[in-house]
Every structure is written in structure tokens, then in C-alpha cells.
């Protein structure tokens, strides 16, 4: 089944404790991206990647890191999480050539206390 | 600044009617526009994509129009059903980024 898999689904952590949210896709898509969704602010793009070793900032990159060492994986790293990073996070992938929409993961609900 | 606007108020319609949702944008020259459906607590699901040189796209009960002069897209669901109740998001691809509107919640009443 074609899908984007995010883990974990839920995560509660403390301020300053480094964490990684994993994202993997099995569709051989070039383009992968991370979003956060907050009430009243909608979905905002954090980082995106157009292919292996090619990443770039989205609208809200501060406090986040990403890497794309393999085509299928695009982890989101919070080096020192803060409470304002409490949010619902989504990973998505799509073919780079366009003409197709994004496939989203099921989301990761992160709480930083 | 760039902006994508969708009606933040919920749209309530009766089953069987046509729902029409609006997406307006400013300061973009999008290569294409996408529509997604999102249910509470779940990831968005892709519905339709329309390119800048296309005026209209259809898929089953769904229809999207794209007017680059008005900078507006309309999303129609004909013969709406209670199962169509969800939040609908439009998204613009400009350059390498994909930017989403805030979404419109649709409620279809039996």
C-alpha cells in the first residue's frame, strides 16, 4: 500500500530534550516536506526536500532541522524543543514533476512541557 | 505579502445541494492549485489539482475552477452527502514551496 509513515503518533517531552520524528514513504517520491498545524494558523511548511541531500527552509524553520540521506526517509529533528513547538506535525511526499498531489502521513501530536 | 484566503466560517448546507467553497490568493503566480480534504485529527487527503492554464477540472461529484485573473479558485461538490462533511483546504505551489489556506469547514445536514 502506498503510504507515508510517521512515528510516533503521540509524543510528550520536556523542554530541551532532543527528539526526532521519523517519516518514511514507499512511493519513490522526490519531494518530501514537513508541516505543522496549529488552530487558527492552518498548515505551515517547516522544511522541504526536492531530492536526496537537497533540503530548504519553508515558512517556519526556526528550531527545526531535517536531513535527507535516503530518498524514502525525511526525519524532523528538534534539537532543543520548546513549548511553542507543541503542535500537530505532518509529513508529506509527492512526485517532483507535479501533476499529483501530496500524500500525507497520519500526523504526530507533540506536546512540549 | 503573499496570502491565501478561505472562508473561515463553516458552510452549512442541506444534503443533495451543491456546496461551493472559495479560495482567493494575492501576490502569487502559482504553477498550480490543489484541493485537499481533512477530517479531524487526520492528515489532509488530496482531491484535485488544477494547473494555471486550465479553467476547470472534474472528478466524479467534484469540480474545481481556476481563474488566474481574479486570483480565485472555486471548489464545488454536487449532490452533497453527510459523508462530505470535513474541512477543505486549498494549496498553492509557487516555486518549490506549497502553501495552504486556512481551510473551510463544510457541514452537510441530512
Amino acid at each position: 500500500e502506498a503510504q507515508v509513515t510517521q512515528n510516533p503518533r503521540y509524543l510528550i517531552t520536556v523542554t530541551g530534550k532532543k527528539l526526532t520524528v521519523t517519516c518514511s514513504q514507499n512511493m519513490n517520491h522526490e519531494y518530501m516536506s514537513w508541516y505543522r498545524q496549529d488552530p487558527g494558523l492552518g498548515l505551515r511548511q517547516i522544511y522541504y526536500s526536492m531530492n536526496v541531500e537537497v533540503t530548504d527552509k519553508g515558512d517556519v524553520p526556526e528550531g527545526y532541522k531535517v536531513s535527507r540521506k535516503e530518498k524514502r526517509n525525511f526525519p524532523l529533528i528538534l534539537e532543543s524543543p520548546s513549548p511553542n513547538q507543541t503542535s500537530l506535525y505532518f509529513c508529506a511526499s509527492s512526485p517532483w514533476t507535479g501533476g499529483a498531489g501530496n500524500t500525507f502521513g497520519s500526523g504526530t501530536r507533540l506536546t512540549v512541557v | 505579502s503573499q496570502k491565501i484566503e478561505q472562508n473561515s466560517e463553516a458552510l452549512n448546507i442541506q444534503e443533495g445541494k451543491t456546496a461551493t467553497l472559495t479560495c482567493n490568493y494575492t501576490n502569487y503566480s502559482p504553477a498550480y492549485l490543489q484541493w485537499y480534504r481533512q477530517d479531524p485529527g487526520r492528515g489532509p487527503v488530496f482531491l484535485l489539482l488544477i494547473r494555471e492554464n486550465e479553467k476547470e477540472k472534474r472528478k466524479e461529484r467534484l469540480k474545481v475552477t481556476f481563474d488566474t485573473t481574479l486570483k480565485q479558485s472555486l471548489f464545488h461538490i454536487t449532490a452533497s452527502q453527510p459523508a462530505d462533511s470535513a474541512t477543505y483546504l486549498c494549496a498553492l505551489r509557487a516555486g518549490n514551496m506549497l502553501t495552504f489556506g486556512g481551510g473551510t469547514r463544510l457541514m452537510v445536514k441530512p
Side-chain angles (χ1 to χ4, degrees), chain A residues 31 37 59 90 96 99 101-102, chain B residues 36 38 43 51 93 96 98:
Chain A
Y31 190 88
Q37 188 170 36
D59 288 320
F90 290 104
W96 172 240
N102 283 265
Chain B
Y36 291 79
Q38 187 175 26
R51 291 185 172 82
R93 164 115 172 238
N96 298 325
L98 188 66

Side-chain angles (χ1 to χ4, degrees), chain A residues 30 32 40 110:
Chain A
E30 294 82 11
M32 296 187 74
L110 172 66

Side-chain angles (χ1 to χ4, degrees), chain A residues 9-29:
Chain A
R9 256 320 242 126
Y10 300 92
L11 179 58
I12 301 175
T13 190
V14 296
T15 299
K17 186 176 180 183
K18 181 180 179 180
L19 67 91
T20 300
V21 184
T22 63
C23 174
S24 180
Q25 51 97 1
N26 62 0
M27 296 165 281
N28 202 36
H29 286 164

